[in-house]
Amino acid sequence: MGVEVRTIVDDELEAWIAACNNGFMRPAAEGAADFLRTAEPHLDRCWAGFDGTSVVATLRSFATPLTLPGGAMVPTAALTAVTAKPTHRRQGLLTRMITPDLDNAAERGEVAGILIAAEWPIYGRFGYGNAADHCQLKLDVSRTRFLREATGTVEMVDAGTARRECPAVYDRYQAAQPGAIERNGRWWDIATRLKPFPGFPIPERFWVLCRDTRGKVVGYVSYVVDDHWVDRRPENTATLGELVGVDEEATLRLWQYLAQIDWVQTIAASDRSVDDPLHWQLHDARALRAYERSDFL
Ligand SMILES: CC(C)(COP(=O)(O)OP(=O)(O)OC[C@H]1O[C@@H](n2cnc3c(N)ncnc32)[C@H](O)[C@@H]1OP(=O)(O)O)[C@@H](O)C(=O)NCCC(=O)NCCS
């Protein structure tokens, strides 16, 4: 008998998430299905390929506003959890799942489709193309001098405070940033580790808020610092979870905070915009290296 492709029902969620983890080469995680159930999992958008009773392919889409240049937001279908088991690849399962899902999205009035592609050749045939690049940044703190001091204050906070304060900052950022999409409460619960997603461990990060001169929270950064000493001298890297400011002032203030942390020699940031203005805010722009430029959205 051939593989049946359809959306799933609630008691198939556990097998579906296990198959999805398998497709991403991760072990099955106990409790993941229950975690997904705590927020609406939109089962009518969770597709599976069933070989008998076994889930051998997965795909899910969700609705989000997408910010366009100029500030308009359009309803968009975001694709995720796309997998086919190694034993069932190249038998047309992705094609059979994505085709009805895209048709449904169009019927709902979702005018764009977005995803982050694991591999370039997978999605072009379905109409997707590269829209935005990203890059990694590395700032050499010992060579860093800023051209001016940003205004505002910074404050280290615990995860609970970050969970309360950061979403509103992100929402303001999203409204003005082309390519940005919505984040729901579950995203923040996971990022702040207040409700971890089983199977997706996130390191415990420091959280720092930036306030403007009137005391309003206008930015945040989360980061971890390694413990690397050479010849009894600190050579640590602060690796950012993310750094978000509602404007250039807040963003600069947060970079300046990071560049003055004792023991930290390098600041590493991933998923940054390729036109990040930080280069132009330094006396020596070569203190900042941009590398691994690649397609992202
Ligand atoms: C990506 C993946 C889901 C594709 O599923 P699939 O069921 O094998 O895809 P299909 O059989 O429907 O393929 C449709 C076409 O795309 C091509 N294609 C699919 N995946 C491809 C890949 N990784 N590289 C190049 N071509 C690919 C197929 O060759 C096929 O072409 P054809 O119609 O000319 O024969 C599967 O390879 C997979 O699970 N990969 C690992 C996880 C992953 O990368 N997921 C995507 C996350 S964004």
Side-chain angles (χ1 to χ4, degrees), residues 82-84 89-95 116 118-119 123 125:
V82 177
T83 71
R89 63 192 279 278
R90 309 301 180 268
Q91 296 171 23
L93 288 177
L94 166 59
T95 309
I116 297 166
E119 295 186 274
Y123 296 104
R125 72 192 66 235

Side-chain angles (χ1 to χ4, degrees), residues 15-273:
W16 184 89
I17 185 85
C20 180
N21 281 352
N22 183 305
F24 288 132
M25 329 284 167
R26 296 184 187 126
E30 209 172 304
D34 285 338
F35 183 86
L36 287 179
R37 282 189 189 101
T38 59
E40 178 55 62
H42 295 290
L43 296 176
D44 59 335
R45 300 184 77 148
C46 292
W47 293 86
F50 288 91
D51 191 349
T53 53
S54 170
V55 179
V56 295
T58 64
L59 178 147
R60 182 171 87 86
S61 70
F62 61 93
T64 176
L66 173 73
T67 308
L68 300 183
M73 286 196 206
V74 292
T76 297
L79 204 65
T80 185
V82 177
T83 71
K85 276 199 175 159
T87 47
H88 290 72
R89 63 192 279 278
R90 309 301 180 268
Q91 296 171 23
L93 288 177
L94 166 59
T95 309
R96 289 174 62 198
M97 296 186 293
I98 199 172
T99 304
D101 192 69
L102 285 173
D103 288 345
N104 293 351
E107 261 171 45
R108 275 188 291 258
E110 290 160 359
V111 299
I114 57 170
L115 53 78
I116 297 166
E119 295 186 274
W120 180 281
I122 303 173
Y123 296 104
R125 72 192 66 235
F126 304 114
Y128 292 88
N130 183 23
D133 281 3
H134 73 157
C135 68
Q136 323 292 322
L137 295 180
K138 222 172 239 185
L139 183 66
D140 179 345
V141 172
S142 64
R143 289 173 179 270
T144 295
R145 269 174 62 220
F146 292 92
L147 290 170
R148 70 174 182 89
E149 279 295 306
T151 57
T153 56
V154 286
E155 175 192 355
M156 295 188 86
V157 295
D158 60 20
T161 308
R163 174 70 184 83
R164 276 195 308 279
E165 298 286 351
C166 296
V169 175
Y170 179 82
D171 291 348
R172 277 182 69 189
Y173 163 83
Q174 182 219 338
Q177 177 60 52
I181 64 170
E182 187 177 71
R183 285 179 180 171
N184 60 20
R186 188 170 67 197
W187 192 99
W188 287 105
D189 289 342
I190 295 169
T192 52
R193 302 174 88 240
L194 294 178
K195 289 185 197 156
F197 189 0
F200 292 84
I202 291 205
E204 189 167 347
R205 296 183 174 122
F206 297 107
W207 288 88
V208 171
L209 302 181
C210 172
R211 294 180 188 273
D212 67 12
T213 50
R214 288 164 306 150
K216 189 171 170 59
V217 180
V218 286
Y220 64 86
V221 61
S222 63
Y223 62 96
V224 292
V225 182
D226 60 5
D227 191 11
H228 185 52
W229 293 70
V230 177
D231 297 336
R232 291 187 62 87
R233 292 205 311 223
E235 292 200 1
N236 294 302
T237 297
T239 302
L240 306 194
E242 75 175 355
L243 185 156
V244 168
V246 301
D247 56 22
E248 193 178 306
E249 197 68 11
T251 308
L252 179 60
R253 186 69 189 85
L254 288 165
W255 278 111
Q256 288 176 342
Y257 160 78
L258 291 165
Q260 56 79 56
I261 303 175
D262 291 333
W263 295 6
V264 170
Q265 288 298 310
T266 305
I267 301 163
S270 43
D271 300 342
R272 297 301 295 184
S273 166

